Amino acid sequence: IDNNTFIYPNPNSGNINVVIESSNGSYSFEVQDLSGRVVYKTILNKSESAVNIKELANGMYTYKITSLTTKVAIKEGKLIKE
């Protein structure tokens, strides 16, 4: 798990920033509800990306960032939308 990857702000109102400092390729950014269902997914190609999850209901979610090159998750955590 990469400690040079950040998600902010958290909690958020639907606009979040994803920073992957050691970015070397493309990454999958996936948001899941607490039952494990994928509710948002996008591809990140830059070291810093703005992501809009305003269409999601307020609540707690989990996220996972996975390298599309190595298929390895580099960051996982909780995300709170208010």
Side-chain angles (χ1 to χ4, degrees):
I1 302 286
D2 186 353
N3 290 327
N4 293 321
T5 301
F6 306 96
I7 305 279
Y8 68 93
N10 191 15
N12 67 82
S13 61
N15 290 314
I16 55 177
N17 295 297
V18 181
V19 178
I20 305 171
E21 288 185 350
S22 58
S23 178
N24 56 353
S26 296
Y27 296 84
S28 164
F29 177 73
E30 195 172 88
V31 178
Q32 299 176 338
D33 63 18
L34 294 182
S35 68
R37 185 173 55 101
V38 175
V39 293
Y40 181 86
K41 188 172 185 175
T42 191
I43 303 297
L44 307 174
N45 294 308
K46 298 183 287 187
S47 60
E48 185 163 352
S49 302
V51 176
N52 182 330
I53 57 167
K54 286 187 176 188
E55 72 277 1
L56 299 181
N58 289 352
M60 184 174 294
Y61 297 88
T62 60
Y63 69 87
K64 180 165 50 173
I65 302 171
T66 305
S67 168
L68 295 178
T69 305
T70 64
K71 308 295 188 227
V72 173
I74 63 163
K75 186 80 167 188
E76 298 179 23
K78 292 187 176 7
L79 189 62
I80 299 171
K81 179 169 179 287
E82 298 182 325

